[in-house]
Amino acid sequence: MRSGWPRLKLPARGVALLALAALSACRGSGDTSESDLGARARPRAAAPTPSFGSTVPPLPTPAATGSAAASARPAAAPSGSAVTDEPSDEIHGPSASSKLVLDEPIELAPAGPAAADSRGVVMIKKTDEIVLSPRRGAPSHDAHRKLADFALVRAPASDFFPVGKSPLILRGKAYWVSGNRLVRRALDGGAPLEVLSDDARPGTRVTGVDLDNAPAYAVYVSGPKLDDTPRARLWVEGGATLLLSPEGSAANSVAAAEGGGDLLTLSIDARSGMTPLHGRRVHFTAGKAELGPDVVMWVGSSAQTLTEVFAASTAQGALALLPIERDVNHFGLALLTVGAEPHMDPKLDWRTYPNGIDLAPVASATFCGGTFVAYARPVNAEPEATQLLEIAEIGKDGLGAGNVVGRASGFANVSLAKAENGAVLAYVADRLTFATTLRCKR
């Protein structure tokens, strides 16, 4: 790591997670030792992980302590608190003004690639099989917090890559990178695996948003070999795969949002000295993609190997979300207002974290009359600090008060999707995949 990071007192856990991600990326769809991965990611003083084999484990209870399940849930508290530049180590529940009821998360499965969907949670096995965990029970307007209700995934930990990327879910199909292939599969079961391209970069995320006027498509990172230059690409069904990265640039991570009815693609060229944020508008006409100019909208500080860019689609247009160093002594979530068209020097807001983390997952969705962002942050500035998973609404002045969903030694992935009367939230923490529901208050 570069010399600036020790000033941020990055936790030693980050090094282990970096090794896990690299192992997952290099091995593609091959086998990985669950015992080896589990030992590295095991939280301190954790009880043995429950079995996810043929026997369904008991549902966790709020009173459980000393286990990974307990550490990934918030302690009950009567009031909420906004996250400031110096967050405290207190854990709060929803604030009185919150629009949401945050239900109690459950242990859904071993750690693995998981994506929230309106009907439940979608997981991907090493064998490229899809596992569906439907949300059970009818959504309600009950203002009281309750235990989330999903069908538990009965599969051993060895079936999943514990730090694999969440798949993209669009129009009833899942898209992801398997080895060096961009693939997709229908969620309804029985459909064969479709290989869309063989130039994808292992270990990277596929992204996209549902657009009424667009054919099936996926934004991904190409460069199957480690010495290849990674580039942002657009796969369009029935058409040619288009290069989004301009000549002379690279793309280590991609994101997508809607802006003015069109697709807005975002990418970062992660470097040790600086991190340019690229934006490009894509207009679909008669099933064909027309690319707008590439715009370097903003140049951030240095990025790490696992730095990723995310995006949110709001009523005012697109928003770029980038967890990155603010300077050599500060780290946080940069929120850049893109709007309907990529442009230079977008409005910038920060949600400063008390320390840096090198897996900093973020997810967003619009529901309950607003656009919400879920993000992980350290609870305080200590090098071995635990982390909080919080959710906050995007307002005109940036992110509002952060309401805590869970607490863990580290979060690997977060996925958020609109659902009936609220949203579904899935996340990976402490060797387990969790799921919960966020319900709209009346």
Side-chain angles (χ1 to χ4, degrees):
M1 290 187 174
R2 69 175 195 82
S3 59
W5 277 101
R7 301 185 189 182
L8 288 171
K9 299 186 293 185
L10 282 178
R13 178 191 62 254
V15 178
L17 290 176
L18 175 60
L20 295 184
L23 179 60
S24 175
C26 292
R27 303 212 37 170
S29 59
D31 192 19
T32 303
S33 169
E34 184 272 333
S35 60
D36 178 56
L37 293 175
R40 300 186 198 186
R42 187 173 296 118
R44 297 182 301 277
T49 304
S51 170
F52 285 83
S54 58
T55 302
V56 178
L59 291 178
T61 63
T65 59
S67 68
S71 68
R73 287 195 210 95
S79 62
S81 172
V83 179
T84 65
D85 277 0
E86 296 296 335
S88 72
D89 59 1
E90 297 181 56
I91 299 181
H92 298 276
S95 63
S97 61
S98 173
K99 297 180 179 179
L100 308 178
V101 177
L102 308 183
D103 287 332
E104 184 76 13
I106 67 164
E107 297 174 19
L108 184 72
D117 182 62
S118 61
R119 295 162 292 179
V121 178
V122 179
M123 295 191 69
I124 306 297
K125 289 187 174 183
K126 293 177 182 178
T127 56
D128 293 327
E129 295 175 277
I130 289 178
V131 180
L132 303 177
S133 172
R135 176 184 182 181
R136 301 185 298 198
S140 72
H141 289 282
D142 186 350
H144 299 287
R145 194 172 187 225
K146 62 179 74 172
L147 193 67
D149 192 6
F150 294 83
L152 301 184
V153 174
R154 301 181 180 184
S158 57
D159 279 3
F160 303 99
F161 288 120
V163 290
K165 303 298 184 184
S166 303
L168 164 67
I169 310 298
L170 273 182
R171 301 177 187 175
K173 294 185 178 182
Y175 296 75
W176 71 97
V177 172
S178 174
N180 64 349
R181 304 174 303 167
L182 172 66
V183 301
R184 73 175 177 183
R185 195 166 219 156
L187 302 182
D188 53 11
L193 183 74
E194 299 178 72
V195 178
L196 309 180
S197 77
D198 59 2
D199 64 347
R201 194 166 188 84
T204 55
R205 190 184 306 273
V206 182
T207 187
V209 290
D210 195 6
L211 299 172
D212 293 337
N213 62 337
Y217 76 92
V219 181
Y220 70 102
V221 178
S222 68
K225 298 179 181 179
L226 291 180
D227 56 353
D228 291 336
T229 300
R231 301 288 181 85
R233 292 187 184 272
L234 173 66
W235 174 87
V236 181
E237 188 160 45
T241 298
L242 303 177
L243 181 63
L244 297 174
S245 298
E247 187 67 29
S249 69
N252 303 84
S253 175
V254 292
E258 180 182 1
D262 285 341
L263 170 67
L264 297 185
T265 65
L266 306 173
S267 65
I268 55 170
D269 187 355
R271 306 178 187 178
S272 59
M274 62 178 182
T275 304
L277 172 66
H278 293 256
R280 196 159 202 168
R281 185 168 184 160
V282 182
H283 179 73
F284 291 97
T285 302
K288 295 184 178 181
E290 301 173 359
L291 303 184
D294 176 85
V295 179
V296 178
M297 299 184 294
W298 181 71
V299 178
S301 186
S302 65
Q304 301 300 311
T305 304
L306 302 180
T307 301
E308 290 192 89
V309 63
F310 304 88
S313 301
T314 73
Q316 291 73 41
L319 194 73
L321 306 166
L322 180 59
I324 197 170
E325 289 184 27
R326 187 170 182 173
D327 51 49
V328 295
N329 291 313
H330 298 89
F331 184 99
L333 180 60
L335 298 94
L336 298 106
T337 303
V338 180
E341 187 80 35
H343 56 91
M344 296 178 63
D345 299 322
K347 179 178 179 288
L348 172 63
D349 297 290
W350 284 92
R351 170 60 48 91
T352 305
Y353 297 175
N355 203 344
I357 52 177
D358 53 6
L359 269 177
V362 177
S364 69
T366 298
F367 56 95
C368 297
T371 300
F372 295 83
V373 176
Y375 56 93
R377 68 160 176 93
V379 72
N380 56 42
E382 295 302 315
E384 292 296 331
T386 56
Q387 296 177 16
L388 300 181
L389 177 61
E390 296 185 328
I391 187 162
E393 185 176 5
I394 299 174
K396 62 179 181 179
D397 297 320
L399 286 181
N403 297 310
V404 174
V405 178
R407 178 175 187 159
S409 62
F411 292 88
N413 267 314
V414 178
S415 180
L416 185 64
K418 179 181 179 180
E420 184 181 358
N421 188 36
V424 171
L425 176 65
Y427 59 92
V428 175
D430 296 345
R431 297 184 299 142
L432 294 170
T433 298
F434 292 84
T436 191
T437 42
L438 313 176
R439 292 181 289 114
C440 309
K441 287 183 179 178
R442 279 188 170 177

